[in-house]
Amino acid sequence: MTAVENPTAPAHPAAEAAARHLWMHFARSGAYGPDNPVPVITKGEGVRLTDSRGRTILDGLAGLFVVQAGHGRRELAEVAAKQAAELAYFPVWGYTTPPAAALAERLAHLAPGDLNRVFFTSGGGEAVESAWKVAKQYFKLVGKPLKHKVISRSVAYHGTPHGAMAITGLPMMKKDFEPLAPGGFRVPNTNRYRHPEFADDAEGQAAFGRWAADRIEEAILFEGADTVAAVVLEPVQNSGGCLTPPPGYFARVREICDRHDVLLVSDEVICAFGRHGHTFACAKFGYVPDLITCAKGMTSGYGPLGALIASDRVMEPFLRPGVTFPHGYTWGGHPVSAAVALANLDLMEREGLHQRVLDHEQAFGDTLRRLLDLPIVGDVRGDGYFWAVELVKDKNSRETFGADERERLVRGFLPRALLDAGLYCRPDDRGDVVIQLAPPLIAGQAEFDEIETILRHVLVQAEQVV
């Protein structure tokens, strides 16, 4: 646990300003005021944060699955300053800058197969939005104009732009913004914990993988293969709590997409850039997609940047005479962010952060699995430095919590209790109730032990809340 240097200090001016003027993301802005000040984070160093009350907090979520190389990396800040002084901004709308061109070339070399063309965005949701637009226009250009639908998985999150939100499989996130773009359809996800009918042995896991993949083909055939443009999947599904792919799942999905001429999009906004020990997680799970969407860890959070990476096959019709992709973003390929991304990739390679994840992922999972002795912990699952602890009301039946219990637990108790105990992570109930953990890639066993100790302390208290 961490000490509070000055727990009675008055609210930071930023907390007061935020309560009056800042429209916070995914937050109940009206809940903050003098009696419940907005938490203010003032500094980051390595795997730790400091707040305005002087508390030191372990960053168990890498900001938002972003800060791969850790906080306070002065060399990245210096690269940003140097580039800003030389050329702070210019668009890639028919032009380029040296950092944007160099980063596109590097990503093309790092991407699997023939994914050689990079379209820059300023974030992950924009990358997913771009992927759907590419898929639609691609099939029009190759003479299959009816192919426009997208299949994704239930509970999956793919972003907040209207197109990306139509791909997102979370009804409660979409209901206030409907009607959305038509054409998004859902199939079951790979939550093995919620499918106990499949055995835990290798044969049972393979059977579950075949079953889940076959639901994708079933949806393609039901909608009509001549109308489906793309299947959008995360290598490890974020929402719902780090849902890993069963053995053989992606190989079968790739076969299905090829059979029905459907583009396979690997949404790696979270999973890319070392989160699973590879530049792109699709390499770890043994498949080559047609499109990759990525963002977050590309710059370790030292600049906003996202990208869509396309295969030569997808790019070919866009290179024909007279063809334009009428789509773009002001900040896509921003020269400062691109320069920082190049430096971040250098840093990660120099420090062997991918191999560090591969060396430590088993230990991280094993440490979190100690929590399985608690009555409230039903499952621990994940891969790399991306794990979830699923909380349950009844361990034997795997019963989850009701709406009132979720309100008390996920939005009432856990966020503040975890922060007060010295851990920033993510309680989430967009599927079943989970706590998500994704520390910076520089974390090791000492941090894993600290995470487990804090979680244990807070979860014992949580059992009394519900």
Side-chain angles (χ1 to χ4, degrees):
M1 308 303 162
T2 60
V4 176
E5 292 184 8
N6 189 5
T8 60
H12 193 280
E16 298 176 358
R20 290 194 304 268
H21 301 295
L22 179 61
W23 199 332
M24 287 168 281
H25 298 202
F26 289 99
R28 295 177 176 179
S29 294
Y32 295 100
D35 297 329
N36 184 33
V38 179
V40 179
I41 304 300
T42 59
K43 184 180 178 182
E45 187 70 30
V47 299
R48 302 198 180 270
L49 306 163
T50 303
D51 75 359
S52 59
R53 293 168 59 187
R55 298 183 297 184
T56 299
I57 300 159
L58 176 59
D59 185 356
L61 204 66
L64 194 61
F65 316 104
V66 169
V67 189
Q68 317 296 62
H71 298 277
R73 303 303 297 252
R74 193 168 298 277
E75 59 265 53
L76 298 183
E78 290 171 352
V79 166
K82 180 181 178 182
Q83 180 60 48
E86 188 170 302
L87 177 65
Y89 175 75
F90 204 76
V92 293
W93 294 38
Y95 307 87
T96 192
T97 62
L103 181 58
E105 181 178 42
R106 186 157 183 180
L107 293 176
H109 290 158
L110 291 170
D114 67 343
L115 279 81
N116 289 316
R117 188 69 62 146
V118 180
F119 181 92
F120 286 118
T121 68
S122 50
E126 291 177 355
V128 173
E129 188 89 357
S130 302
W132 194 359
K133 293 178 81 171
V134 163
K136 287 182 176 181
Q137 188 177 357
Y138 167 80
F139 280 114
K140 287 180 172 60
L141 291 171
V142 299
K144 297 183 178 182
L146 296 181
K147 292 176 80 71
H148 68 282
K149 298 174 183 175
V150 176
I151 293 168
S152 59
R153 295 183 289 204
S154 71
V155 192
Y157 173 78
H158 293 287
T160 54
H162 261 63
M165 184 166 282
I167 299 172
T168 289
L170 294 159
M172 290 301 293
M173 284 191 62
K174 299 190 286 188
K175 64 183 181 64
D176 290 330
F177 309 110
E178 292 174 328
L180 299 175
F185 298 88
R186 243 61 59 202
V187 295
N189 58 44
T190 60
N191 189 341
R192 176 72 184 78
Y193 182 66
R194 292 296 166 185
H195 285 277
E197 67 272 21
F198 291 95
D200 284 330
D201 58 17
E203 185 177 340
Q205 292 180 33
F208 178 51
R210 288 193 301 273
W211 175 86
D214 287 348
R215 302 289 72 75
I216 293 174
E217 183 165 41
E218 186 178 79
I220 291 172
L221 293 173
F222 183 82
E223 291 300 322
D226 61 336
T227 71
V228 178
V231 171
V232 179
L233 306 172
E234 297 165 280
V236 175
Q237 183 174 316
N238 168 36
S239 187
C242 297
L243 307 180
T244 57
Y249 175 77
F250 274 113
R252 197 168 183 91
V253 171
R254 179 71 268 181
E255 292 172 3
I256 290 166
C257 289
D258 290 342
R259 183 156 55 244
H260 300 291
D261 195 16
V262 172
L263 301 182
L264 176 56
V265 182
S266 190
D267 182 357
E268 305 206 17
V269 171
I270 289 176
C271 293
F273 304 110
R275 184 56 51 189
H276 297 279
H278 291 259
T279 302
F280 297 106
C282 56
K284 185 174 191 176
F285 296 109
Y287 66 100
V288 178
D290 300 292
L291 298 165
I292 292 175
T293 58
C294 56
K296 293 190 183 289
M298 194 187 322
T299 68
S300 280
Y302 288 76
L305 188 64
L308 166 69
I309 309 175
S311 68
D312 290 344
R313 169 204 170 195
V314 171
M315 191 64 203
E316 185 277 327
F318 292 92
L319 297 175
R320 296 172 185 173
V323 174
T324 298
F325 181 42
H327 175 66
Y329 298 101
T330 299
W331 307 112
H334 192 286
V336 174
S337 293
V340 170
L342 287 164
N344 179 58
L345 293 173
D346 286 342
L347 184 158
M348 294 179 69
E349 182 177 325
R350 185 169 65 248
E351 298 187 2
L353 294 187
H354 291 184
Q355 189 59 48
R356 180 179 181 82
V357 170
L358 297 175
D359 291 344
H360 289 80
E361 61 179 340
Q362 182 68 42
F364 191 17
D366 289 345
T367 304
L368 293 175
R369 289 188 189 98
R370 296 177 199 160
L371 298 167
L372 287 167
D373 67 338
L374 297 177
I376 198 172
V377 175
D379 193 28
V380 174
R381 55 182 178 260
D383 181 89
Y385 272 33
F386 189 33
W387 289 80
V389 176
E390 180 166 341
L391 308 183
V392 292
K393 185 175 181 178
D394 184 277
K395 198 159 187 166
N396 293 325
S397 66
R398 307 189 183 191
E399 180 185 358
T400 191
F401 298 97
D404 291 342
E405 294 164 325
R406 290 175 179 229
E407 181 69 23
R408 293 198 302 273
L409 185 64
V410 178
R411 278 163 286 282
F413 175 72
L414 284 173
R416 187 55 60 98
L418 287 163
L419 203 64
D420 287 346
L423 176 64
Y424 165 67
C425 57
R426 187 185 209 178
D428 190 18
D429 69 340
R430 289 176 296 177
D432 297 306
V433 177
V434 299
I435 295 176
Q436 288 185 299
L437 299 146
L441 308 188
I442 60 174
Q445 189 61 53
E447 288 76 31
F448 304 159
D449 288 336
E450 185 177 349
I451 288 170
E452 189 271 340
T453 298
I454 294 174
L455 285 177
R456 180 174 296 275
H457 170 75
V458 171
L459 290 177
V460 167
Q461 298 178 57
E463 291 170 354
Q464 310 306 314
V465 173
V466 292

